[in-house]
Amino acid sequence: MIRAYTPDDEAGVRAVVTAAFGGDGEKVARLADGLRATHARAELVAEAAGVVVGHVLLSRSWVDARSALIDVLVLSPLSVAPEHQGRGVGTALVEAAVAEARRLGAPAVFLEGSPAYYGARGFEGATQRGFTRPSTRIPEPAFQVAVLDGHEEWMTGRLVYCEPFWAHDSVGLRDPELSHIEQMFES
Ligand SMILES: CC(C)(COP(=O)(O)OP(=O)(O)OC[C@H]1O[C@@H](n2cnc3c(N)ncnc32)[C@H](O)[C@@H]1OP(=O)(O)O)[C@@H](O)C(=O)NCCC(=O)NCCS
């Protein structure tokens, strides 16, 4: 079951995010806390037998287009408890988040992630759609967007992340992982 986050979910969400992201878990959980406190526009949990097993957050960022600053959404973080992975929970959370973004009237949802995973779930390369990465430390194929009904052709430009992504040093990758992933995409 996918439903909206409530304050009672705080501990359950922290446990899922921490477990899903392994060594980066604490940092990503602090990012989720920071986004929730300031720029979150929607937050969903997946529940199984009364226990939180997945989580996704949509936060407000901007596209700095030539004629206006455009409000957009960023899907991050997305987490599924390791013991529940591979059963469609992540897919259901992505679909529910995009549906929520549509309901909110967002013209686009951005994320950083595997093009194989998200490409099969409605996302496409954002650079090819005319958007510029907020950092060159996001490997180009990982910079993805789902363009929604409210989008118009002129709404292109640089994605400007809201402050918590920077405050928690959660933009893109850093070496040596950055070089490793770049080489993987090149080969
Ligand atoms: C990525 C994640 C959310 C997927 O959730 P999930 O519930 O396991 O996903 P689903 O069951 O809906 O989909 C499973 C598919 O995703 C693939 N997949 C899982 N993790 C992946 C990853 N990191 N990169 C690419 N593909 C991945 C599986 O191989 C499987 O592929 P298949 O359908 O072709 O067999 C989950 O693995 C997770 O929490 N990972 C750790 C945190 C993370 O990396 N979050 C995303 C950051 S962008």
Side-chain angles (χ1 to χ4, degrees), residues 16-17 19-22 75 77-82 84-94 111-118 121:
V16 167
V17 174
F21 281 89
L75 188 161
L78 170 68
S79 317
V80 175
H84 290 270
Q85 290 178 8
R87 297 182 199 165
V89 177
T91 301
L93 282 166
V94 171
L111 57 79
E112 298 176 27
S114 155
Y117 186 78
Y118 292 103
R121 289 160 180 83

Side-chain angles (χ1 to χ4, degrees), residues 77-177:
L78 170 68
S79 317
V80 175
E83 63 275 25
H84 290 270
Q85 290 178 8
R87 297 182 199 165
V89 177
T91 301
L93 282 166
V94 171
E95 282 173 1
V98 171
E100 186 62 16
R102 273 203 184 87
R103 202 186 63 76
L104 291 168
V109 182
F110 292 84
L111 57 79
E112 298 176 27
S114 155
Y117 186 78
Y118 292 103
R121 289 160 180 83
F123 285 77
E124 61 182 311
T127 305
Q128 293 89 316
R129 284 300 297 242
F131 301 105
T132 304
R133 299 172 283 177
S135 166
T136 52
R137 291 181 298 93
I138 302 169
E140 199 99 60
F143 177 45
Q144 293 173 73
V145 66
V147 167
L148 306 180
D149 291 345
H151 181 262
E152 296 173 24
E153 283 311 309
W154 61 271
M155 293 177 178
T156 58
R158 181 175 298 278
L159 174 64
V160 181
Y161 273 145
C162 65
E163 191 262 356
F165 285 105
W166 302 102
H168 295 276
D169 192 11
S170 297
V171 180
L173 302 169
R174 293 199 182 274
D175 281 337
E177 196 191 358

